[in-house]
């Protein structure tokens, strides 16, 4: 892709034009980009940032890679996302809001949207729809999981795009990274953890702080959900706690919907 | 004399979230001056409904990426108040240290990356990387320090992992804290140079009298919990926060607005400083005097300087906190939690002003009702009135559209608004 005679690790690279765009989100994933002070300047040498409203005035419609943060909750957001899609060569979903709906999609568990609006705004008219991830609206080329994303991962993705290298996600679960880091297992402390079923890549961020995984990166390939549930229940962790974690970021929605249905059958 | 002016900024840049400024002046008369918030709501209060207490800090921390630590701490405090849990001194100290470093990283981000480009005539910090590399490096150094402490104490700089109801999941190593102590002391030089840089900026000479609301410092400059105070003399308990905020809906905004004794009030660094000047660290007060900043200052652009003063305060105070942590023996990181029915409020001074979380629980600890009042939400009405006054004043002085537009944008940026957070 594109111009110039720059090199990165001895490999000639282009300096792709990059835009950052946000939809319904906390904007934390964008913030991660300016949050790694030690590598920020290297990153800026690698790309040309042409759109980054949170950090700069001025915008351009000419970009190669669009990093899109947030989920889609309103018709005007659909239009804006489609326009970005039509301009970008590569569209990257940045963070769990964009990949799965993130915490925002917890709203979807209430089937009654008018009630949701009423709870927050009383009778006032406010527009909102069911929360959707980007790929429900447009074609997404790449996903960067996490709430928040890891900056290192974003940089790796950009580098790979620039040098035309395929991007490989870990297929294995967080437990593998956690064990490699020799953390104390949360299960041994009697706490809940979705590490056995969640896609690795975060370096077992939460268990490294002795906090259980909440599954923000979504499921690993072929997650063994039954085994995970059994492991948790053997340790006295309730179905409700498992459900809380499974449904928090939206990556496990098919499993959490099933568990919710099962629980309401048991406890109508 | 200037008679006609049209300013339309649809997506204000270098602020968090989506807001728009519109000013129309015809024949010298302000027909419209508006601050509109077009952000999509995410319905956090509804989302919490029916969730167990444990979820509250994890979910509401995601209201805002910039002040996720503040939201997490306000949420935890609300839950703890509802369950009648008093944090240990150790937990209190660690939380305040974490809070201070969020304040530092957020203020430095705002001062250097969002506000300074206006004063330096640049569209962003990016061109400054080449034209003023030492300035950018200094900002990055201070932010890095703040973020490193947050990683160490909170587990993660953004959406902290170790902060839970009852305390922390894990404690930092004392030798790490000692190392941060050295870096914090060394940061004085960077802060001095930051102050020097800001003395070269021309802060617009503009004031509109208003009311300022913040926590009330009792013995110390306030950040986490305590009584509420306004510069018009209103005082209330933390749990009576609704009597301070009086939220209402307006058509131009998906964020609610707030008012107290007047049509609007302001929160943030300037409000904190106006209400608690006597509790500033002497070194911070000295920086304030460099800019002739003393209470009650009604110039909204001076919020930038108030943030700078607070940077000095939190760095000095962080050293004090680390000293007392190093002197004490580590206790258990976390207390046991017994949920009970009740209501709890957590008021926390986050970088952009006072934040409230309030939850009502049933006896099994499930949320019956949740309410979050965001600093920027409280500032919207004040921003609106400032803009109206700014438009009429500068139009009558015959200023050009371009200059009015720039000053209006700088005005809004001075509040360091966190718009998506205000809508949540
Ligand atoms: S994925 Fe998480 S950190 Fe990223 S924007 Fe969404 S809520 Fe914020
Ligand atoms: S703490 Fe969680 S991620 Fe780590 S090994 Fe145990 S279950 Fe797996
Ligand atoms: S440990 Fe789990 S919740 Fe934590 S960052 Fe990794 S995937 Fe997300």
């Amino acid at each position: 892709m594109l111009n110039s005679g720059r090199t990165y690790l001895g490999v000639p690279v282009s300096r792709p034009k990059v835009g950052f765009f946000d939809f319904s989100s906390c904007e934390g994933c964008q913030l991660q980009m300016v949050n790694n002070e030690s590598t920020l300047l290297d990153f800026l040498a690698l790309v040309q940032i042409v759109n980054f409203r949170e950090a700069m005035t001025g915008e351009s419609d000419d970009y190669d890679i669009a990093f899109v943060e947030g989920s889609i909750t309103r018709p005007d957001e659909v239009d804006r996302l489609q326009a970005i899609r039509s301009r970008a060569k590569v569209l990257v979903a940045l963070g769990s809001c964009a990949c799965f709906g993130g915490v925002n999609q917890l709203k979807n568990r209430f089937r009654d949207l008018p009630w949701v609006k009423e709870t927050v705004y009383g009778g006032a008219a406010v527009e909102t729809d069911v929360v959707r991830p980007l790929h429900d609206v447009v074609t997404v080329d790449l996903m960067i999981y996490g709430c928040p994303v890891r900056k290192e991962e974003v940089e790796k993705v950009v580098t790979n795009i620039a040098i035309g290298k395929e991007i490989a996600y870990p297929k294995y679960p967080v437990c593998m990274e956690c064990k490699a880091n020799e953390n104390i297992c949360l299960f041994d402390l009697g706490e809940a953890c979705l590490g056995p079923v969640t896609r690795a890549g975060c370096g077992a961020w939460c268990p490294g702080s002795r906090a259980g995984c909440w599954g923000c990166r979504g499921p690993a390939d072929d997650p063994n959900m039954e085994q995970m549930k059994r492991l948790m229940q053997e340790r006295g962790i309730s179905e409700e706690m498992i459900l809380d974690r499974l449904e928090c970021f939206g990556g496990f929605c098919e499993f959490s919907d099933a568990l919710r249905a099962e629980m309401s059958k048991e406890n109508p | 004399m200037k008679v006609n002016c049209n300013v339309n900024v649809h997506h204000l840049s270098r602020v968090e979230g989506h807001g728009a400024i519109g000013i129309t002046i015809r024949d010298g008369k302000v027909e419209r001056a508006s601050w509109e918030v077009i952000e999509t709501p995410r319905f956090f209060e509804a989302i919490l409904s029916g969730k167990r207490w444990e979820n509250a800090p994890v979910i509401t921390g995601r209201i805002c990426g910039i002040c996720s630590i503040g939201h997490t701490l306000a949420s935890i405090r609300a839950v703890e108040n509802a369950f009648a849990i008093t944090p240990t001194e150790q937990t209190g100290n660690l939380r305040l240290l974490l809070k201070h470093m969020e304040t530092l990283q957020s203020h430095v981000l705002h001062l250097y990356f969002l506000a300074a480009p206006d004063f330096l005539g640049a569209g962003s910090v990016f061109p400054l990387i080449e034209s003023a590399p030492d300035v950018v490096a200094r900002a990055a150094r201070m932010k890095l320090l703040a973020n490193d402490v947050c990683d160490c104490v909170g587990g993660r700089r953004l959406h902290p992992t170790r902060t839970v109801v009852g305390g922390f999941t894990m404690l930092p190593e004392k030798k790490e804290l000692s190392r941060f102590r050295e870096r914090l002391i060394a940061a004085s030089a960077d802060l001095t140079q930051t102050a020097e840089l800001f003395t070269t900026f021309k802060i617009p000479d503009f004031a509109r009298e208003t009311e300022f609301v913040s926590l009330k410092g009792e013995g110390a400059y306030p950040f986490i919990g305590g009584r509420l105070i306004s510069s018009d003399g209103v005082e209330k308990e933390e749990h009576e926060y609704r009597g301070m905020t009086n939220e209402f809906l307006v058509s131009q905004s998906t964020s609610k607005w707030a008012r107290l004794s007047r049509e609007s009030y302001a929160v943030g660094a300037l409000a904190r400083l106006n209400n608690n000047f006597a509790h500033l660290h002497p070194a911070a007060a000295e920086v304030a005097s460099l800019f002739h900043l003393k209470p009650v200052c009604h110039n909204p652009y001076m919020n930038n300087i108030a943030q700078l003063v607070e940077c000095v305060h939190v760095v000095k105070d962080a050293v004090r906190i680390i000293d007392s942590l190093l002197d004490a023996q580590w206790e258990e990181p976390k207390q046991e939690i017994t949920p009970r029915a009740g209501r709890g409020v957590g008021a926390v001074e986050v970088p952009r002003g006072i934040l409230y979380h309030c939850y009502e629980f049933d006896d099994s600890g499930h949320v019956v009702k949740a309410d979050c009042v965001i600093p920027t939400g409280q500032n919207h009405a004040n921003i609106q009135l400032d803009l109206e006054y700014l438009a009429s004043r500068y139009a009558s002085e015959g200023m050009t559209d371009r200059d009015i537009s720039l000053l209006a944008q700088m005005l809004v940026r001075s509040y360091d608004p966190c718009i998506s957070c205000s809508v949540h």
Side-chain angles (χ1 to χ4, degrees), chain B residues 48-81:
Chain B
L48 282 184
S49 188
K51 280 283 181 191
R52 281 175 65 252
W53 57 273
E54 185 198 35
N55 290 273
V58 177
I59 296 173
T60 58
R62 268 81 185 175
I63 289 177
C64 178
I66 301 188
C67 45
S68 61
I69 290 171
H71 274 280
T72 306
L73 293 180
S75 180
I76 288 173
R77 183 170 169 86
V79 179
E80 288 178 352
N81 281 342

Side-chain angles (χ1 to χ4, degrees), chain A residues 146-148 150 174 177 193-195 198-208 211-218 249, chain B residues 62 156 161:
Chain A
C147 179
R150 280 196 90 108
V174 171
E177 292 176 333
C193 182
L194 289 189
T198 302
R199 185 185 301 281
C202 64
W205 226 342
C206 303
C213 171
W214 282 68
C216 80
R217 299 172 57 87
F249 297 98
Chain B
R62 268 81 185 175
R156 183 160 66 191
T161 52

Side-chain angles (χ1 to χ4, degrees), chain B residues 102-338:
Chain B
E102 178 178 74
T103 304
L104 179 64
Q105 90 78 23
S106 173
H107 283 359
V108 169
L109 175 77
H110 177 247
L111 289 170
Y112 276 92
F113 289 29
L114 310 182
D118 284 327
F119 295 101
L120 295 166
S124 79
V125 73
F126 301 136
L128 301 179
I129 292 170
E130 304 221 331
S131 62
D134 50 327
V135 171
V136 178
R138 186 195 309 139
R141 201 157 49 231
M142 287 189 283
K143 249 171 73 38
L144 181 66
L145 166 61
N147 278 332
D148 284 350
V149 178
C150 292
D151 281 349
C152 172
V153 177
R156 183 160 66 191
R157 57 192 59 187
L158 182 86
H159 302 322
T161 52
R162 295 185 182 185
T163 43
V164 289
V165 176
F168 285 81
T169 57
M170 199 173 164
L171 300 174
E173 302 264 350
K174 285 198 171 173
K175 60 173 191 295
E176 294 176 289
L177 291 181
S178 308
R179 278 203 294 272
F180 288 131
R181 189 182 181 282
E182 300 312 311
R183 282 173 66 187
L184 284 161
I185 289 170
S188 284
D190 284 340
L191 288 165
T192 306
Q193 285 172 7
T194 305
E196 278 165 14
L197 173 69
F198 274 75
T199 53
T200 66
F201 294 168
K202 200 179 160 310
I203 310 280
D205 176 21
F206 173 92
R208 186 186 66 83
E209 212 186 290
T210 190
E211 184 173 16
F212 293 96
V213 174
S214 70
L215 283 173
K216 182 183 181 199
E218 286 168 310
Y221 198 81
F223 284 101
I224 303 179
R227 288 174 66 78
L228 317 173
I229 190 169
S230 101
S231 56
D232 281 358
V234 183
E235 260 197 66
K236 290 193 188 300
E237 298 294 333
E238 194 169 353
H239 64 84
E240 300 170 321
Y241 76 101
R242 276 170 184 274
M244 285 308 236
T245 57
N246 311 297
E247 282 190 304
F248 60 104
L249 288 164
V250 287
S251 60
Q252 77 203 68
S253 165
T254 44
S255 166
K256 294 172 186 170
W257 284 17
R259 66 182 152 217
L260 181 54
S261 317
R262 312 170 183 230
E263 277 182 274
S264 72
Y265 67 83
V267 299
L270 187 60
R272 282 192 289 266
L273 184 143
N274 273 335
N275 291 342
N276 299 287
F277 195 84
H279 296 297
L280 279 174
H281 188 280
E286 208 174 293
V287 172
S289 70
L290 208 66
F291 293 87
H292 310 290
L293 172 57
K294 53 178 192 292
V296 178
C297 168
H298 288 283
N299 180 350
Y301 294 96
M302 286 298 274
N303 192 51
N304 293 309
I305 304 305
Q307 287 190 340
L308 168 65
V309 170
E310 286 193 339
C311 287
V312 177
H313 178 88
V314 297
V315 166
K316 297 286 179 193
D317 202 47
V319 174
R320 177 195 65 80
I321 297 170
I322 290 179
D323 282 341
S324 75
L325 285 167
L326 290 176
D327 274 350
Q329 290 286 331
W330 278 141
E331 297 164 16
E332 279 298 304
K334 192 168 82 182
Q335 305 174 61
E336 282 302 314
I337 315 299
T338 318

